[in-house]
Amino acid sequence: MGPGAAGLAGALSLAGALPAGTPLLLDTVPPGGDALSHGRGLDCWEVRKHNSSEWCQFIRSNPDCQLDGGFLDYLDGVFCVFPPRLLPLAVTLYALWLLYLFIILGVTAEKFFCPNLSAISTNLRLSHNVAVFSLTSPLHGVTFLAFGNGAPDVFSAVVAFSDPRTAGLAIGAIFGAGVFVTTVVAGGIALVKPFTAASRPFLRDVIFYMVAVFLTFMVLYLGRIRLGEALGYLGLYVFYVLTVVLCTWIHRRQRGDGLAPPGPWEPEMPTDVEEPEPSGANSGDYGEEYRPLLPSRETSLRILTTALSPLDYRKWRRKPWYWRLFKAFKVPVELVLLLTVPVVDPDKDDLNWKRPLNCLHILTSPLLCVLTLKSGAYGLYQIQGIFPVWGLVTLVASALALIIFITTSNEEPPKYHCVFAFLGFLASAMWINAAATELVNILRTLGVIFQLSNTVLGLTLLAWGNSIGDTFSDLTMARQGYPRMAFSACFGGIIFNIVVGVGLGCLLQMSSSQPLVKLEPDSPLVWVLAGALGLSLVFSFVTVPAQCFQLGKAYGICLIAYYLAFLCVALLTEFRVIHFS
């Protein structure tokens, strides 16, 4: 963030421009500096207090209403493009677009980001396993898999921390998702299938999570986070990973490296999972009953059209109508992702090598990266004022794609095919970052429209949206007979989100001249969030061992009731019905 943005943040803080409940993030305003001299705009939330005929002029003339990053100016659209009488229509369209952004995040992470991370871990000779914390691959579970599952949360937090006006979204989302997952999701698992929790992994994860929550509470209490503290967050996660690996090694030594049946102290390993939904990346991989008796060579055009099809028509005919409806919404997203993101699958003989499509990826993936980085600012930059960067990337990538197409065959992947996993990882990360930026901007716009703070939007919409995928996957895992593994995911996966989300998000905002980020909560809502999360963890830490790790429906009902009570208190605090001194 540059000096101008820092001055604006200082002006907003000193003038009380940010609404109650928004933690303010200041990173480069020097002590004693005159932050007011950098910006005198009114709070953007005050636009609704003016006459509707003045909305557009207020939005366009107020520096606080300028959205940083993103491809669409949502504030200008709702207050300038749509007439005031059509404000409900604009809000409806924004809400639908918000839901679609969550779909984009989920599809990108599930079908492109995570598979490429898995391929990278395989290439780095880390064993692959579907479990969250596996006894045979703990390092993969707590690093690559955690990063893949938490990518939307972490990217959303990093984007939100990049702007002082949206820092409350990050705090609200991180704490709100923590409360939601540790109460609603964990309680839902106990309701769906009572089980015996894995004692040692549970106690380890809860203790580390409580330490992370306490550190965040102290940072908010002190009102700032320094370079050492930001690095301490990342160091805490490294220590957590080493603890998981060490505990796993000790446990395996104790049982003689044999695979014993899972006990109450370890998560069970699934032997069968739900049939994965085919995407375009593997839509050409038919079951054995559909394979031809004699192998035949497909043309490049046939391979390209098959690889770009996100639908499996046999599965489409078997599925119910609601699955088809949701799939129809996902098809445009999947098609664009298939065109721009390569996927390497180590479980296939050909590693998912699709020669014409992968050569096309050599062109589309770099173009995607330069056109989404800083919302296209770098891609549209004119070299010497004459030739755009995207044009140069197109020329170089086209030549490289032509060389690869000529020197390879459709049947056998090249030796350097693993490079496509890194390219796919980068391209999918850029997609997630772009979607997260739009998500943060549209949530801030909805906050301006409804006069809501960023914190309450973060703990509700952003937290729910980022957690909905984990909720369905964990509950499905519990129904299939693996509740212990789903329960471990509730407490183990979100450690990555809070530690890396806060640590990395603040670290990226620091500079060599100002290694400090200020976090100033302006409302008791932040303390309600932190207290509710800490109390839910203490509740589980005490009650689960007290029940001898036998978790049933009573435990699940208590957790869900706790979340409903917390949500009521948070909303009443936001609307100033409940006052704290």
Side-chain angles (χ1 to χ4, degrees):
M1 183 182 297
L8 174 59
L12 294 174
S13 173
L14 295 176
L18 284 177
T22 304
L24 180 61
L25 175 67
L26 302 177
D27 59 338
T28 54
V29 177
D34 183 12
L36 283 173
S37 63
H38 292 276
R40 300 182 180 273
L42 296 174
D43 179 14
C44 195
W45 268 257
E46 297 184 7
V47 62
R48 296 294 301 276
K49 298 179 181 179
H50 291 70
N51 190 283
S52 60
S53 61
E54 301 174 352
W55 286 354
C56 184
Q57 181 181 359
F58 182 92
I59 290 294
R60 291 180 174 175
S61 61
N62 192 343
D64 186 46
C65 297
Q66 306 305 312
L67 299 176
D68 291 340
F71 294 94
L72 300 175
D73 191 339
Y74 298 102
L75 284 170
D76 186 85
V78 72
F79 290 111
C80 296
V81 176
F82 286 90
R85 66 179 182 275
L86 293 182
L87 182 62
L89 174 62
V91 171
T92 303
L93 294 177
Y94 279 17
L96 293 176
W97 175 233
L98 179 68
L99 293 176
Y100 206 68
L101 285 172
F102 281 121
I103 293 177
I104 294 174
L105 283 173
V107 171
T108 307
E110 176 189 358
K111 295 191 175 183
F112 296 87
F113 191 79
C114 289
N116 280 310
L117 271 180
S118 177
I120 291 174
S121 68
T122 301
N123 186 62
L124 296 177
R125 304 192 186 282
L126 293 174
S127 58
H128 171 73
N129 201 292
V130 297
V132 178
F133 296 112
S134 168
L135 294 175
T136 57
S137 58
L139 186 61
H140 176 270
V142 296
T143 53
F144 287 92
L145 192 55
F147 185 32
N149 292 339
D153 308 77
V154 173
F155 276 95
S156 299
V158 170
V159 171
F161 272 127
S162 66
D163 190 336
R165 298 164 298 180
T166 56
L169 282 173
I171 297 297
I174 289 173
F175 280 168
V179 178
F180 181 83
V181 172
T182 57
T183 56
V184 175
V185 181
I189 293 171
L191 286 175
V192 168
K193 192 173 183 64
F195 65 100
T196 302
S199 59
R200 286 188 284 190
F202 168 77
L203 295 176
R204 175 198 65 209
D205 294 342
V206 170
I207 290 173
F208 269 97
Y209 196 32
M210 286 193 294
V211 171
V213 172
F214 177 75
L215 289 179
T216 308
F217 180 88
M218 292 302 300
V219 165
L220 292 172
Y221 179 77
L222 296 175
R224 80 325 177 241
I225 178 171
R226 300 183 184 275
L227 177 61
E229 294 163 343
L231 294 176
Y233 269 92
L234 303 180
L236 176 64
Y237 192 74
V238 173
F239 180 58
Y240 170 68
V241 171
L242 294 178
T243 302
V244 173
V245 174
L246 179 62
C247 292
T248 303
W249 180 79
I250 293 175
H251 172 67
R252 295 185 65 183
R253 286 290 300 270
Q254 289 178 344
R255 68 174 190 171
D257 291 329
L259 287 177
W265 35 261
E266 62 176 314
E268 72 275 55
M269 302 299 297
T271 56
D272 58 344
V273 295
E274 184 182 10
E275 176 189 2
E277 176 186 340
S279 65
N282 60 1
S283 59
D285 184 19
Y286 302 105
E288 291 293 336
E289 66 272 21
Y290 296 103
R291 292 186 184 277
L293 296 177
L294 297 177
S296 60
R297 291 190 175 185
E298 293 184 311
T299 63
S300 296
L301 181 60
R302 171 69 176 172
I303 294 175
L304 180 62
T305 54
T306 302
L308 285 177
S309 174
L311 287 175
D312 184 330
Y313 295 102
R314 289 181 302 277
K315 188 172 184 178
W316 174 271
R317 290 193 298 266
R318 296 196 308 265
K319 291 296 182 178
W321 67 268
Y322 54 85
W323 184 94
R324 298 184 187 184
L325 180 63
F326 185 62
K327 182 66 176 179
F329 281 107
K330 295 196 299 182
V331 162
V333 178
E334 294 177 350
L335 182 59
V336 174
L337 288 169
L338 287 170
L339 280 169
T340 55
V341 183
V343 176
V344 177
D345 189 351
D347 296 330
K348 291 186 177 181
D349 294 335
D350 62 351
L351 304 178
N352 198 43
W353 166 250
K354 310 294 182 184
R355 175 171 165 244
L357 181 59
N358 288 142
C359 291
L360 183 61
H361 286 148
I362 295 296
L363 172 63
T364 57
S365 294
L367 273 179
L368 167 74
C369 293
V370 298
L371 291 178
T372 55
L373 189 64
K374 291 293 182 181
S375 303
Y378 292 134
L380 299 178
Y381 176 76
Q382 301 277 336
I383 303 175
Q384 302 257 333
I386 301 175
F387 199 70
V389 171
W390 67 264
L392 178 62
V393 171
T394 301
L395 291 177
V396 175
S398 299
L400 183 60
L402 182 61
I403 293 174
I404 293 177
F405 188 82
I406 295 174
T407 58
T408 56
S409 64
N410 292 334
E411 291 74 24
E412 185 178 356
K415 296 181 179 179
Y416 50 82
H417 186 227
C418 60
V419 177
F420 283 87
F422 292 90
L423 180 62
F425 165 77
L426 180 61
S428 56
M430 296 305 298
W431 268 116
I432 293 176
N433 182 69
T437 302
E438 300 299 318
L439 190 68
V440 169
N441 286 341
I442 198 170
L443 283 174
R444 180 168 183 262
T445 301
L446 293 176
V448 171
I449 295 173
F450 294 108
Q451 306 285 288
L452 297 174
S453 69
N454 286 324
T455 305
V456 75
L457 289 171
L459 76 92
T460 53
L461 295 180
L462 189 54
W464 294 339
N466 286 337
S467 303
I468 194 68
D470 295 335
T471 302
F472 282 112
S473 62
D474 290 341
L475 293 180
T476 300
M477 196 182 302
R479 289 194 201 97
Q480 292 176 345
Y482 311 108
R484 284 200 294 273
M485 188 165 60
F487 191 72
S488 297
C490 292
F491 292 90
I494 52 179
I495 296 176
F496 179 88
N497 298 347
I498 186 171
V499 174
V500 179
V502 176
L504 185 62
C506 292
L507 187 64
L508 294 178
Q509 307 314 313
M510 297 180 182
S511 62
S512 57
S513 59
Q514 189 69 23
L516 175 71
V517 170
K518 291 186 178 180
L519 289 168
E520 299 177 0
D522 294 338
S523 166
L525 183 59
V526 177
W527 308 118
V528 171
L529 266 172
L533 179 55
L535 188 59
S536 71
L537 293 175
V538 171
F539 174 78
S540 293
F541 185 72
V542 173
T543 58
V544 172
Q547 301 175 82
C548 298
F549 299 93
Q550 301 285 339
L551 304 183
K553 294 185 177 181
Y555 174 74
I557 292 174
C558 289
L559 288 182
I560 294 175
Y562 176 86
Y563 182 78
L564 294 176
F566 149 74
L567 196 60
C568 291
V569 173
L571 293 177
L572 292 176
T573 303
E574 168 69 13
F575 294 113
R576 304 183 187 280
V577 177
I578 296 179
H579 298 275
F580 296 92
S581 58

